[in-house]
Amino acid sequence: MATLKYSRQREAIKEYLASTTSHPTADTVYMHVKTEFPNISLGTVYRNLNLLADLGEAVKITTPDGGDRFDAQTIPHYHFYCKDCGSVIDMDFNNIEEINELASQNFDGRIESHTILFYGTCGECLTRS
Amino acid sequence: MATLKYSRQREAIKEYLASTTSHPTADTVYMHVKTEFPNISLGTVYRNLNLLADLGEAVKITTPDGGDRFDAQTIPHYHFYCKDCGSVIDMDFNNIEEINELASQNFDGRIESHTILFYGTCGECLTRS
DNA sequence: CTTTTTGCAAATCGTTTGCATGGAC
DNA sequence: GTCCATGCAAACGATTTGCAAAAAG
């Protein structure tokens, strides 16, 4: 239904997101895009970030500190979340074995725990639909 | 510093949490404990759940739908999050290989994606402290 | 001209916090 | 008597939403 129409704001948001690997919050995206579009509103940023996530052109990363993060890198990869400063950092490796290796190498001792969250539809919902 | 004092409310919260594997939200815990303590407040439930999480007697699970979930099972394990109904289900296996096996067996095709989030302190914060 | 997108402000929702009172020790 | 914990209500912070105006097609 929704015929997508072009918008400079959305383009600027995509562009900024693609230019960084810092996994910015919606507010950070807002502040950056604002330099180019002084009148842009936070609501527009949220709407577009969610739209991009729905289209599969961006990924929304849920963090334990409330604020969600956005990532233009849609190829599946893992993230390291710093519980002290809240920064989200890319990590790339393929299996659990490497997690422990990484913990004792790249992040010697700094990894305190990790969470694996799966996304999908549970059997109950599958039945109901 | 904080000398922990006994409280019936906290005990009831621990008890309820230990009795279920449904990974309830704070509000769900609130509603259940309320049958035993009609005057208990949501704030107290939040305070105690966070306290238990800090003490390591419970785990707080961040989900993409906003509401955090709590789990009395503190032995590290993985969770499956249903993006349709928001339920959180325990999954147990040890490595990434099994994730794909599981996706095609127990959850045939239902797992759409998964996120691994690491918790710890990043190098920058480690340096600053 | 029709439909989508925007900017703005108000509304929502989960969670936290300040404060006076009540309970634990 | 001294602190810690509670109940309540107000405060918060991130995100969403309703609406009229502006832009795209």
Side-chain angles (χ1 to χ4, degrees):
Chain A
M1 298 295 86
T3 315
L4 202 58
K5 279 182 182 171
Y6 172 89
S7 104
R8 310 181 198 183
Q9 288 90 332
R10 185 185 308 128
E11 221 50 38
I13 289 169
K14 284 173 67 173
E15 203 175 297
Y16 170 65
L17 205 57
S19 77
T20 180
T21 57
S22 70
H23 310 88
T25 60
D27 200 69
T28 301
V29 173
Y30 169 62
M31 291 193 296
H32 275 86
V33 178
K34 201 171 189 174
T35 63
E36 191 181 347
F37 293 87
N39 296 326
I40 199 172
S41 73
L42 234 195
T44 296
V45 172
Y46 272 106
R47 268 186 295 240
N48 279 298
L49 287 174
N50 285 329
L51 178 60
L52 293 175
D54 287 347
L55 294 175
E57 293 180 32
V59 174
K60 188 194 275 197
I61 305 165
T62 302
T63 65
D65 63 10
D68 289 341
R69 309 308 202 78
F70 295 86
D71 194 348
Q73 173 59 280
T74 56
I75 296 174
H77 58 288
Y78 307 125
H79 297 107
F80 173 87
Y81 171 77
C82 175
K83 73 188 178 80
D84 285 12
C85 70
S87 68
V88 175
I89 303 167
D90 283 328
M91 295 181 81
D92 55 313
F93 50 86
N94 300 309
N95 58 52
I96 288 269
E97 265 71 28
E98 294 187 37
I99 290 178
N100 296 321
E101 275 190 22
L102 217 92
S104 52
Q105 290 170 15
N106 299 33
F107 289 79
D108 49 61
R110 279 179 269 156
I111 291 179
E112 294 174 23
S113 66
H114 66 269
T115 300
I116 301 189
L117 255 188
F118 291 87
Y119 298 85
T121 304
C122 74
E124 215 171 307
C125 288
L126 214 56
T127 306
R128 221 183 309 111
S129 59
Chain B
M1 304 299 89
T3 315
L4 202 58
K5 279 181 183 172
Y6 172 89
S7 103
R8 311 181 195 183
Q9 288 88 334
R10 185 184 309 128
E11 222 49 39
I13 289 168
K14 284 173 66 173
E15 203 175 297
Y16 171 65
L17 205 58
S19 78
T20 180
T21 58
S22 69
H23 310 87
T25 61
D27 201 69
T28 301
V29 172
Y30 171 62
M31 292 193 295
H32 276 86
V33 177
K34 202 171 187 174
T35 63
E36 192 181 346
F37 293 87
N39 296 326
I40 199 171
S41 72
L42 233 195
T44 296
V45 173
Y46 271 106
R47 268 186 294 240
N48 279 296
L49 287 174
N50 286 329
L51 178 60
L52 293 175
D54 287 345
L55 294 174
E57 293 181 32
V59 174
K60 188 194 274 196
I61 305 164
T62 303
T63 66
D65 62 10
D68 289 340
R69 309 307 202 77
F70 294 87
D71 193 347
Q73 173 59 279
T74 56
I75 295 174
H77 58 288
Y78 308 123
H79 298 108
F80 173 86
Y81 173 77
C82 175
K83 73 188 178 83
D84 285 13
C85 69
S87 67
V88 174
I89 304 167
D90 284 329
M91 295 180 81
D92 55 313
F93 50 85
N94 300 309
N95 58 53
I96 289 269
E97 264 71 29
E98 293 186 37
I99 291 177
N100 296 321
E101 276 191 23
L102 218 92
S104 54
Q105 290 170 13
N106 299 35
F107 290 80
D108 50 60
R110 278 180 271 156
I111 291 180
E112 294 175 22
S113 66
H114 67 269
T115 300
I116 302 190
L117 254 188
F118 290 88
Y119 298 86
T121 304
C122 72
E124 215 171 306
C125 287
L126 214 56
T127 306
R128 223 184 307 109
S129 58

